[in-house]
């Protein structure tokens, strides 16, 4: 009862804050559309039109287009786990510098979020994604020509800045999905992420032994070039068009959706979706209102740990397989060794072998069962329970590394396989949960701040998975286990378990 009352008070507080602005905007928009010769009462919104047209040929094509962008994003991220140790060997950079190559990419991504958000709101999703693909392709090619470490750092930072726009592809995709299919389709879109990660490892297996890392950077831009080529056929967001006063273009886009799906176009006057108007009124300070403060802080921590553990296991896998070539895990103390040009414990390191890449590919394939298992579990046991269970299982799984990392290559690969699959599933669960927990006016800003915290976690993890791991394996694994268990506790404190609870909280007195 107290949770119900708190949730209702939150909604009422936010509604009071935006009611005057919302009413004024809606009246202005209605006035702008009053010149359409239709019966005034016969109106529909973009969301209603998309629901009426259902899921069909249009959504399938859009899935492939946006999936290509998501795949390119995954490849540019996965390449970091392959590029860093190679540079450490070829350029004799320190472990700290090796980790900085990864950190700078995520720093660029985090800093670019406000820019791409504003750009998309002003010019639309399609121009933003087009510019993003061109910049990513351009800086990706330039990265392969880097003459030294400093230039590589600058160019990879710019790559990260361009990658910051890729979530806009998911936003565009979701806006054309019927309500009933939206959650599952957005989660299934992450199959393209897993596909991109697997393709990058497979590409490295073929290219690295013969052509080297520079050609790997060049060839990894292929999906970006493909996405840039299909951008002219990419539809603009109908919600953006109608909200910006381009009603005729929005209607043309909806007609195309209806035609591709074999459904009749709706009759009446297209009006602005209430959600479109409300989303622009959310502020960061609203996330810290008394009724939402604890939930927001918990979610920020969970997102941070989720990215910290996910990218940690990605980077750690390469390091463990590389160390396995010498049949040992370095266990020396730090003592400032990370700043030496050649580490005592890694002086014998060489390029990853074919066997290493094959094992790395096996662990990457774990993301597919992780995604599908999460879809199955989350609908039956709820969001919160799924998060608690998966974080706990991830921590338990890491405990086995203490035994298998030194003694058995096969068991090490199996352990990393399960760890990668579990933490990939956690990402899906938290992506589904977060938009549901926030009221509509705060949904965009809520998910945005959580995403920023995830970037922060990804920026920190290289110094554990790449630097500390080479000096103290035990300490590194304990840090990840502790973080996962704390995230499991934080997940158990979240207020809502599933969508049904949301309705119960808003309907009960």
């Amino acid at each position: 009862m107290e949770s119900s009352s708190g949730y209702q008070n939150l909604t009422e507080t936010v509604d009071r804050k935006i009611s005057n602005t919302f009413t004024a905007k809606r009246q202005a928009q209605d006035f702008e559309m009053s010149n359409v010769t239709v019966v005034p009462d016969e109106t529909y919104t973009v969301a209603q039109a998309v629901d009426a047209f259902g899921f069909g040929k249009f959504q399938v094509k859009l899935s492939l287009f946006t999936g290509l962008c998501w795949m390119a994003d995954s490849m540019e991220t996965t390449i970091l786990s392959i590029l860093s140790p190679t540079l450490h060997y070829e350029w004799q950079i320190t472990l700290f510098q090796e980790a900085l190559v990864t950190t700078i990419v995520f720093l660029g991504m985090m800093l670019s979020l406000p820019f791409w958000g504003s750009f998309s709101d002003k010019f639309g999703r399609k121009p933003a994604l087009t510019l993003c693909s061109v910049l990513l392709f351009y800086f990706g090619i330039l990265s392969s020509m880097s003459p030294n470490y400093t230039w590589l750092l600058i160019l990879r930072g710019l790559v990260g800045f361009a990658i910051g726009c890729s979530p806009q592809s998911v936003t565009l995709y979701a806006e054309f999905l019927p309500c009933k299919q939206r959650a599952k389709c957005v989660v299934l879109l992450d199959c393209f992420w897993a596909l991109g990660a697997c393709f990058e490892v497979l590409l490295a297996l073929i290219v690295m032994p013969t052509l080297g890392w520079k050609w790997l950077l060049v060839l990894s831009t292929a999906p970006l070039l493909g996405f840039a080529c299909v951008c002219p056929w990419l539809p603009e967001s109908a919600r953006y068009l109608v909200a910006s006063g381009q009603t005729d273009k929005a209607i043309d886009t909806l007609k195309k959706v209806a035609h591709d799906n074999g459904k009749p176009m709706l009759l009446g006057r297209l009006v602005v979706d209430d959600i479109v108007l409300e989303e622009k009124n959310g502020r960061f300070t609203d996330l810290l209102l008394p009724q939402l403060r604890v939930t927001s802080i918990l979610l920020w921590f969970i997102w941070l740990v989720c990215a910290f553990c996910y990218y940690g296991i990605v980077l750690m896998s390469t390091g463990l397989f590389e160390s396995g070539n010498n049949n040992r895990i370095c266990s020396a103390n730090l003592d400032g060794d990370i700043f030496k040009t050649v580490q005592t414990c890694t002086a014998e390191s060489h390029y990853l072998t074919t066997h290493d890449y094959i094992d790395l590919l096996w662990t990457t394939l774990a993301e597919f069962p992780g995604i599908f298992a999460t879809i199955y579990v989350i609908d039956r046991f709820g969001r919160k329970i799924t998060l608690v269970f998966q974080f706990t299982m991830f921590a338990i799984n890491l405990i086995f590394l203490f035994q298998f990392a030194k003694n058995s290559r096969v068991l090490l690969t199996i352990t990393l396989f399960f760890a990668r699959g579990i933490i990939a599933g956690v990402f899906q669960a938290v992506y589904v949960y977060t938009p549901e927990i926030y009221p509509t006016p705060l949904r965009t800003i809520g998910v945005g701040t959580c995403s920023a915290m995830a970037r922060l976690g990804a920026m920190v993890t290289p110094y554990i998975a790449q630097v500390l791991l080479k000096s103290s394996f035990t300490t590194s694994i304990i840090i990840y286990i502790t973080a996962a268990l704390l995230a499991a506790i934080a997940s158990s404190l979240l207020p809502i378990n599933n969508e049904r609870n949301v309705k119960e909280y808003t309907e009960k007195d």
Side-chain angles (χ1 to χ4, degrees):
M1 295 297 289
E2 292 179 359
S3 299
S4 174
S5 177
Y7 194 90
Q8 283 183 313
N9 290 339
L10 167 65
T11 305
E12 291 172 0
T13 300
V14 175
D15 287 344
R16 281 197 302 269
K17 282 188 172 186
I18 69 171
S19 59
N20 292 335
T21 305
F22 169 70
T23 302
K25 287 184 177 180
R26 183 168 59 184
Q27 290 175 346
Q29 190 67 40
D30 288 343
F31 177 77
E32 291 176 4
M33 297 180 182
S34 61
N35 59 344
V36 182
T37 309
V38 293
V39 180
D41 292 333
E42 294 180 356
T43 63
Y44 63 92
T45 65
V46 171
Q48 290 171 340
V50 170
D51 284 337
F53 301 149
F55 188 94
K57 181 180 176 181
F58 180 89
Q59 282 77 13
V60 172
K61 290 191 298 184
L62 189 59
S63 298
L64 297 176
F65 291 164
T66 55
L68 197 59
C69 178
W70 211 228
M71 181 179 173
D73 184 356
S74 174
M75 291 180 64
E76 290 296 331
T77 304
T78 303
I79 201 174
L80 298 172
S81 64
I82 300 169
L83 179 64
S84 297
T86 303
L87 293 177
H88 177 66
Y89 172 69
E90 282 197 5
W91 287 358
Q92 298 293 285
I93 60 177
T94 68
L95 289 175
F96 182 85
Q97 291 174 317
E98 179 185 340
L100 190 58
V101 173
T102 301
T103 298
I104 198 69
V105 174
F106 289 107
L107 177 62
M109 293 168 68
M110 186 172 71
L111 294 178
S112 70
L113 288 176
F115 169 80
W116 289 116
S118 300
F119 189 95
S120 298
D121 288 341
K122 186 174 182 179
F123 300 103
R125 311 273 192 257
K126 181 176 178 178
L129 289 171
T130 303
L131 178 61
C132 161
S133 62
V134 172
L135 291 178
L136 263 176
F137 179 77
Y138 178 68
F139 291 128
I141 295 295
L142 286 182
S143 295
S144 67
M145 304 177 186
S146 301
N148 52 51
Y149 174 79
T150 302
W151 270 109
L152 179 68
L153 210 61
I154 293 172
L155 291 170
R156 295 314 291 178
L158 292 173
V159 166
F161 187 90
I163 291 177
C165 182
S166 58
Q168 295 294 333
S169 65
V170 182
T171 302
L172 176 65
Y173 178 60
E175 289 175 352
F176 283 105
L177 290 173
C179 184
K180 292 182 179 180
Q181 286 85 20
R182 188 172 300 145
K184 287 185 178 180
C185 287
V186 170
V187 172
L188 288 173
L189 187 63
D190 277 347
C191 288
F192 284 95
W193 177 278
L195 183 62
C198 292
F199 183 74
E200 184 62 41
V201 176
L202 189 60
L203 187 64
L205 172 63
I206 299 172
V207 173
M208 287 293 286
T210 55
L211 300 177
W213 64 270
K214 292 189 175 183
W215 272 102
L216 180 63
L217 286 178
V218 172
L219 296 175
S220 296
T221 61
L224 291 170
L225 182 61
F227 181 73
C229 292
V230 302
C231 275
W233 289 273
L234 198 68
E236 180 55 272
S237 167
R239 286 178 60 184
Y240 163 77
L241 291 173
V242 72
S244 59
Q246 304 178 63
T247 311
D248 292 340
K249 291 183 178 180
I251 292 175
D252 290 339
T253 300
L254 292 176
K255 286 181 178 179
K256 179 173 177 55
V257 178
H259 177 268
D260 287 351
N261 290 358
K263 298 294 180 67
M265 181 62 185
L266 298 184
L267 299 177
R269 177 166 56 95
L270 178 61
V271 296
V272 182
D273 194 336
D274 293 350
I275 295 178
V276 174
L277 292 176
E278 290 178 354
E279 282 181 346
K280 296 183 178 180
N281 293 278
R283 297 182 302 175
F284 173 77
T285 53
D286 293 333
L287 300 177
L288 298 176
L289 289 172
Q291 299 89 339
L292 259 187
R293 186 181 301 133
V294 174
T295 299
S296 294
I297 293 174
L298 288 173
L299 282 175
W300 293 342
F301 178 73
I302 291 170
W303 276 74
L304 186 149
V305 173
C306 189
F308 177 78
C309 291
Y310 174 81
Y311 291 108
I313 206 70
V314 171
L315 298 172
M316 185 191 305
S317 298
T318 306
L320 292 176
F321 289 144
E322 180 188 22
S323 299
N325 293 333
N326 298 321
N327 296 317
R328 65 189 179 91
I329 298 296
C330 181
S331 57
N333 294 324
L334 279 174
D335 296 331
D337 286 348
I338 60 174
F339 298 103
K340 291 182 180 179
T341 302
V342 180
Q343 315 300 316
T344 303
C345 59
T346 59
E348 300 177 5
S349 296
H350 298 286
Y351 295 112
L352 293 174
T353 65
T354 300
H355 188 36
D356 294 331
Y357 285 120
I358 292 175
D359 288 343
L360 193 60
L361 179 61
W362 277 113
T363 61
T364 306
L365 286 169
E367 295 203 16
F368 288 103
I371 292 172
F372 291 116
T374 300
I375 294 174
Y376 176 84
V377 173
I378 202 171
D379 286 338
R380 285 157 180 77
F381 300 101
R383 282 74 166 139
K384 185 168 71 172
I385 294 176
T386 300
L387 286 171
V388 174
F389 175 76
Q390 288 182 318
F391 271 124
T392 303
M393 291 303 299
F394 178 77
I396 294 174
N397 197 263
L398 290 184
I399 295 175
F400 290 102
L401 287 177
F402 290 119
Q403 179 65 27
F404 300 149
K406 299 180 181 180
N407 301 327
S408 174
R409 177 69 173 238
V410 174
L411 293 178
L412 170 63
T413 303
I414 293 174
T415 303
L416 292 174
F417 178 90
F418 281 105
R420 179 78 173 260
I422 292 170
I423 199 62
V426 173
F427 243 132
Q428 313 316 313
V430 76
Y431 259 114
V432 172
Y433 180 89
T434 304
E436 294 177 349
I437 196 65
Y438 286 114
T440 299
L442 301 180
R443 191 162 294 153
T444 299
I445 188 66
V447 175
T449 53
C450 286
S451 179
M453 293 302 294
R455 308 300 184 194
L456 182 60
M459 288 168 57
V460 173
T461 202
Y463 300 97
I464 308 299
Q466 292 181 310
V467 180
L468 185 59
L469 182 75
K470 297 294 181 66
S471 299
S472 179
F473 172 77
T474 301
T475 304
S476 302
I477 301 302
I478 288 176
I479 289 175
Y480 284 108
I481 291 174
T482 303
L485 291 177
L486 290 175
I489 295 173
S491 299
S492 69
L493 299 176
L494 291 171
I496 295 174
N497 186 50
N498 53 43
E499 289 179 296
R500 183 178 60 187
N501 293 146
V502 176
K503 296 180 180 179
E504 291 175 353
Y505 286 151
T506 57
E507 292 173 359
K508 286 184 179 179
D509 292 331

